[in-house]
Structure formats: C-alpha cells, structure tokens
Amino acid sequence: MPARDGRMRSALAAAVSPYLLAHFAKSQLWHASTLLFGFFLTEACGLNASAMSLVMAATLALNGVVDAALGVHWRGRMSGTDGAARLQLGATPATCLFFLSFCATPLIGAELRLPWALATLLGFRVAYPFIDVPQNAMVALAPLDEDGRCTLLARRNVASGLASIAVGGCGGPLLIHGHADLPWLAWATTLSLLVCATGWWLARTPVTGVAGPPAQCDGDGAKLRFTTILAALTVMVAAGSLFRALEPYYAAYAAGGVGLLLWAGIGGLVSQPAWLACRRRVRTSGALGAAALALLLAALILLGPLRTTAAGVILAGLGFGAGTSGLWLMLWAAMMHRAAAGGATGYVGVFTCVSKLAQAAAMLLLGHVLAGSAYRDTLADPHSPPSLLIVAALTTLAATCVALALACRHRAASGARLRAAVSGS
C-alpha cells in the first residue's frame, strides 16, 4: 500500500504541476490588486483615501458581476479542463496589459492620474474573470475523486501563499520604500510575462484524471447549505480584505517594514499541510476551532506592547495566515464538492462574485476610516481607528470560524438523528 500511495502522489503531482504554477502566477496578480493597489493609489499616485476607496470598490464590484455572469453563461457548456484552459489562455494577454497599464499610473501627469487609474483598473477587473473563473473551475471539472480535489485545493493554497510572499517580498518593498516608478514597472512586467508563460503551459497540459492520496475530507463542511457557505464567505472576505489592505500601511507607518505581509503569507503557506492532515483526523468543527484560536492570538498581539516588535509582527502574521488559510480551505472544499456534481462554473462564478462584492464593501469602509484619520501618524497608536480596525478584522474572522464550527456540528447532529430514525424504522 505505501508504494501504491507513493505512485499516486507522484502521478497527482505530475498532473497538476502546470496548474499550480499557473495558479501561483495568476494569484500574484490578484494579491497585488488586494494587498498593494490601495496603498499604491494613495501613496504613489497621490489620490486621497476617499477617492481610492471608491475606485477600488467600484472596480471590485464590477469584477464580481462579471464573475457571476461568466459563471452562469458557461454553466453546462464547459465540461472539461481543456476548454477551461484555452479560455483562460485567451484572456491572459489582455489581463496582463491592463495590469501593466495600471501599474504605470505614476508615470502619467497628475491631472490625468485618476481617470487613467480608473480606466485601466476597470479594464483589469473586467478581463481578470476570464482567466479566474475557468482556472478555478478546473478543480471541479478535472476527473479527480473527493480526496484528489481536497489535496489539489490544499496545494493551490500553498501556491497562493507563495504568491502572497512573492508580492509582499518583491512588490511591497518597492512601494513602501518609494520606488513606484521604473523598478515597480519592471517587477510588474516580469510578473505579467510569468502569467502568460504559465497560462500557455497549462493550456498545453491541462489537469488529467488522477485519484489523490488518501487524505479524506471531513464530510461536515460538504453538508453545509450553499447559502451558509456564501454567508461565511462574505464575512470572511470582508474582514480579511480589511486586514490585507491595511497591511502595507501598517508596515510603512507602524512596524517599519514589510514583515507583516511576509509572515502572513508564510503562515498561510506552512499551515496547509497541517490543515489537510487535520481534516483526516478530526472533524471540520475542530479544525475551525483551532483556526479561531490562531486569529484571536494575532488580535491580542496587535493590541498589546508586542505589536511593533519583530516577535509580535511574526506571531501576528503567522496567526492571520494560518487561521485564514484553514477557513479558506474549508469553504473552497465545501463549494467544490457541490460544483463537482454539475454546473461547476455557475458555483464558482457566484462564489467569487460574492467574494468580490464583500471586498468592495470592505474597501468603502477602509476609505472612510483612513479619510477620517491621519493614518500616517496614528497607526503607531494601538487605540487609533485604523489600528482598531485591524484588530476588529481579526476578531470577526475568529467569530466566523466559531459560527461555522457550530453550523457543522448542527448539520452532523441532524444527520445522525436522521440516520437513527431511518434505522429504527
């Protein structure tokens, strides 16, 4: 059996390597847009916080609408990974061109920066779903069993964590240290070329059917209603987006570096094998409880005297990254369980649409808080509105984990009562 499991792991790795590399590259585009674009607009392009939040919110909402429209339009028309890979490849050049054009905003005259940023960001948000929806749907469209899907989702999260680290380690310092011109544009160009190259490779070698290694997913999360999954997603993404968008501000004006960005990415990366192993051995509710504790630890650190120390930044970043990655894996696995049964793009499109709308709402709140506070000075104060918003985001994420854990326990108890009634009759 161990030899067979080793062969299955090798086969799965060979089948999904192009997919994971393409996901790594594509995720850098997205992480850049959520981690850095708000900071980029205010600190590099000179927009005020209110204008920044309106630009970010409007374009994110448009992205969500396009996600849902494409998902519904392609539902029932996309039955395999080949077609999905070709669709994402066809949209990749336009997406990268808009991304590069937006990153060139500081090179535009001051009077034209706002319309240029809005137009190019709108183009990016419209084009991005054409690579995002097909690539996400490939997890459900690939002829993988339940174990294989869970393993692939966990590896996707590792790829996304690496992408977050790459953005925080490469793009973040350029902005925070005032190099938002040619060095920033060179980084964006390199990233765009990587996205195009990996998209081409994925289109040539789409994911094939492989049964995954024995990493059984706990069924509690899969039994959740789709509306429950979407409700949890809304709260999680809104709170997570507030934290992520505030990270570069906190790094620049409170912690003196990009440590929080990097350690949050590292936390999400290194915790994925643990979350996958946890799903083999304990119920989903237990895993969510552990995620809640990690997030509460991060909140307590950012309220106390360790908040600007190296140890505090490391622990807070790890707590946020580990906690959110566990919750993220659970929600994606529950959604993909339904998507694999049919209408994959429809489920994926609605799921990502809700995610983008929640991010849009978060950006409006962020703009309101930043506009009402001299954040460049007050972020060093743990009791200022921007600092408290970071802590509120973490506690909200922890509460979401607890609520989902209770929902999983309720569904499991209801299922046990139903089985007992059936067997008794």
Side-chain angles (χ1 to χ4, degrees), residues 93-333:
T95 304
C96 291
L97 179 61
F98 281 118
F99 177 79
L100 278 173
S101 299
F102 175 77
C103 290
T105 300
L107 305 180
I108 306 300
E111 68 283 356
L112 295 177
R113 281 181 188 169
L114 179 57
W116 176 272
L118 180 59
T120 54
L121 189 54
L122 278 171
F124 173 73
R125 297 298 192 200
V126 170
Y128 185 81
F130 284 85
I131 66 173
D132 191 41
V133 173
Q135 195 181 107
N136 287 333
M138 288 177 72
V139 177
L141 292 170
L144 298 168
D145 61 12
E146 187 76 8
D147 294 338
R149 275 199 306 277
C150 282
T151 303
L152 179 55
L153 284 171
R155 293 182 180 183
R156 262 174 48 114
N157 284 350
V158 170
S160 182
L162 288 170
S164 177
I165 293 170
V167 169
C170 298
L174 293 176
L175 288 184
I176 290 172
H177 297 303
H179 301 296
D181 42 25
L182 293 181
W184 162 264
L185 200 57
W187 169 77
T189 302
T190 303
L191 174 55
S192 298
L193 292 174
L194 178 64
V195 174
C196 291
T198 55
W200 174 81
W201 188 27
L202 177 59
R204 289 178 60 86
T205 54
V207 180
T208 55
V210 181
Q216 290 290 340
C217 290
D218 180 12
D220 292 351
K223 296 173 185 174
L224 290 173
R225 298 180 186 275
F226 191 53
T227 52
T228 302
I229 296 170
L230 294 180
L233 176 73
T234 300
V235 179
M236 177 206 165
V237 170
S241 296
L242 284 172
F243 185 93
R244 297 295 274 173
L246 279 165
E247 278 183 272
Y249 292 98
Y250 181 85
Y253 304 121
V258 298
L260 192 62
L261 284 78
L262 292 177
W263 286 106
I266 292 170
L269 172 67
V270 301
S271 64
Q272 276 303 296
W275 290 124
L276 191 57
C278 192
R279 291 175 68 87
R280 298 174 188 158
R281 297 178 175 85
V282 301
R283 289 188 173 275
T284 298
S285 55
L288 288 168
L293 288 176
L295 291 161
L296 286 175
L297 174 63
L300 289 173
I301 290 171
L302 292 181
L303 272 176
L306 293 177
R307 67 189 303 268
T308 58
T309 66
V313 167
I314 290 171
L315 290 174
L318 288 175
F320 171 81
T324 52
S325 71
L327 179 57
W328 198 235
L329 176 61
M330 182 270 184
L331 291 175
W332 271 97

